[in-house]
Amino acid sequence: MIFRNIYWIFWLHLLLNSMIPCSSARAEPLFTVVASTTQIADLAREIAGDRCRVISILGPGINPHGYMPVPNDGKTVASADLCLQNGLHLEGKNWMATLVRDNGNRPIITCSDGIIPLHLDYDGTVVDDPHAWFDPRNAAIYVNNILKGLIVMDPEGASQYTARASLYLNQLRVLDAWITEQFHQIPPEKRILVTSHDAFNYFAARFGLTVRSPVGWSTGAEIGGGMTPERRRHVVASIREGQVPAVFVETTVNPKIIEQIAQEAGVRIGGHLYSDAMGPAGSAGERYIGMMRENTLTIVEALSR
Amino acid sequence: MIRFVLACLVACGMLGSVSVCHYMLTRSPVTEPPTSIQPTLRSESALQTPHRTPDQQADTTVSPSRIQLQNNDAARRFFLILTSGFNTAPDPFALGSDGLTEPTRLSAQYGDKSIITLLNDLLRGESIRSSEFDVADTDITRGTLTLFIRATPAETDARIPCPLRIDLIRADGFPCDTYTLWTPGNGVMLTGEATLNPVPGSNTAALGWELVK
Ligand SMILES: [Zn+2]
């Protein structure tokens, strides 16, 4: 009799356990967020956590200025609950906004909304610099914009998104202070950053560097973009005049031009900097904070010698 | 029949316990948003005037520890005067600082109560008076209350350590205690705890006591 009761209890227990989802198992993401670039995807992942699947259209090391979308990108965007773009024409010819418009017109957030853009003057033509994420204070604005978008998309997840965003903003605060400390080790006259294209103006403005680059704000053919012989001459002259010890290769730009300039000016290559895209999986530059840290260490080490 | 009833009871019990566990594991904490208080900005010179009647002054000069409370409510209500040794600026890393809304410059919190949330700039040497707040009886008995303070120095003052003075005043005007926090001076905002004694006269350096002597 007792054994028969135990038998029934055992089967009842199994039945009930199968009806209630196991709380320790990781739940499938509830939403899909599609970002144009790797840095925006990383910021979104930090805030969305496991509630969302975050997909980046661009992979590590891919240049956003000249990117040509492929048919699969349209399918990815069509599956999104929320799309994220940098804005300020980082996505050359507004390819992300066009993808969204042509594939279901999904909700889209422009992460740079609310920042005060730096204006770059190219022979009288003024262009807004799109590389705003290189100032951690602007990255905080990106985070807040992404947070607002996620809360509109998924109000039930608001408390989780807000908690993650709050923690991440504190990490950005620490990053910002740490980078400031690092650059104070370099004498002001040696803080000259020569890179392939004009990606580091926000970084330079925040941390007291002067930037020189042979290629304008974009590697594409937009106004103010691309290399001109005059810009190249100016960069070589600046390196010699400022006795700059090193120049830097960018991970998203062909190193040929900057290598030629280094040879011509008689300086060495100081290292590789993550610029318009972050590093591959497993590298230190895979995350925004790691990318900023690695860039800082590379620059400080090369310019301190 | 007995077996069936027994099985039903066991099933109900198990379902109930599993549901309770599931609820405990998945419930989200309920949080109340902090209330924003519009501060009253005062000049430093205005703060040098004690908030007391001549009779009260006479009492305190004799023996601060002998101050008798008029009633329990008065003994529990306090306000702060914060005097900044630096220009404040918006915190660029605050939640909600999307470049469009005004972020907090300075805030003071007691437990889960927001005492001050300053959305305007406070200049070096200026003071701010908080609204009145109740202190827990246990803190009054222990003679210690802890405030959590955050303030963001402007770029011009961010590279040197600067003071922030916190004066605790009882609602009827008796100064209790004073505490000074310092900014880190490395570009990072000030975040710190100020531990104060809510008994009037516990610190004679508190605002107003030096004038009484
Ligand atoms: Zn670029």
Side-chain angles (χ1 to χ4, degrees), chain A residues 63-65 90 130-131 133 197-199 216-219 250 252-253 275-276:
Chain A
N63 182 346
H65 297 294
L90 176 78
H131 307 86
W133 67 88
H197 91 298
D198 256 346
W217 70 277
S218 167
T219 54
E250 292 175 44
T252 54
V253 182
S275 58
D276 286 352

Side-chain angles (χ1 to χ4, degrees), chain B residues 80-83 108 147 149 164-168 177-181 190 193-194 196:
Chain B
L80 302 175
I81 291 175
L82 277 77
T83 307
L147 298 162
I149 310 286
L164 178 73
R165 178 176 167 141
I166 302 129
D167 283 284
L168 179 71
D177 202 358
T178 187
Y179 196 97
T180 300
L181 286 168
L190 163 68
E193 286 181 355
L196 294 146

Side-chain angles (χ1 to χ4, degrees), chain B residues 70-198:
Chain B
Q70 297 302 308
N71 56 57
N72 282 339
D73 283 350
R76 293 175 71 234
R77 289 193 74 71
F78 293 82
F79 64 88
L80 302 175
I81 291 175
L82 277 77
T83 307
S84 177
F86 52 91
N87 294 331
T88 62
D91 173 15
F93 299 100
L95 203 58
S97 62
D98 54 6
L100 303 171
T101 47
E102 276 298 301
T104 308
R105 271 75 163 163
L106 183 150
S107 68
Q109 201 166 326
Y110 170 59
D112 60 352
K113 274 182 279 187
S114 175
I115 310 296
I116 295 175
T117 303
L118 180 65
L119 302 175
N120 314 99
D121 285 331
L122 190 66
L123 300 177
R124 191 183 302 124
E126 277 188 342
S127 299
I128 180 179
R129 182 193 193 281
S130 78
S131 55
E132 292 178 8
F133 62 100
D134 286 336
V135 170
D137 289 337
T138 48
D139 284 352
I140 291 173
T141 311
R142 282 191 309 144
T144 302
L145 69 88
T146 304
L147 298 162
F148 183 59
I149 310 286
R150 296 168 78 109
T152 312
E155 288 288 313
T156 48
D157 293 338
R159 307 298 314 174
I160 43 163
C162 299
L164 178 73
R165 178 176 167 141
I166 302 129
D167 283 284
L168 179 71
I169 323 266
R170 209 171 65 183
D172 53 5
F174 288 102
C176 299
D177 202 358
T178 187
Y179 196 97
T180 300
L181 286 168
W182 290 82
T183 61
N186 60 355
V188 181
M189 75 183 298
L190 163 68
T191 53
E193 286 181 355
T195 309
L196 294 146
N197 189 336

Side-chain angles (χ1 to χ4, degrees), chain A residues 223-280:
Chain A
I223 294 168
M227 192 189 72
T228 65
E230 198 186 333
R231 274 191 206 132
R232 190 191 155 123
R233 270 197 301 276
H234 183 59
V235 169
V236 173
S238 295
I239 294 168
R240 286 178 177 152
E241 198 180 305
Q243 295 181 316
V244 178
V247 298
F248 300 89
V249 174
E250 292 175 44
T251 52
T252 54
V253 182
N254 188 332
K256 203 173 158 190
I257 296 170
I258 205 77
E259 283 169 358
Q260 284 172 355
I261 286 174
Q263 205 171 15
E264 199 177 323
V267 292
R268 60 195 169 76
I269 299 288
H272 287 68
L273 302 182
Y274 297 106
S275 58
D276 286 352
M278 300 196 306

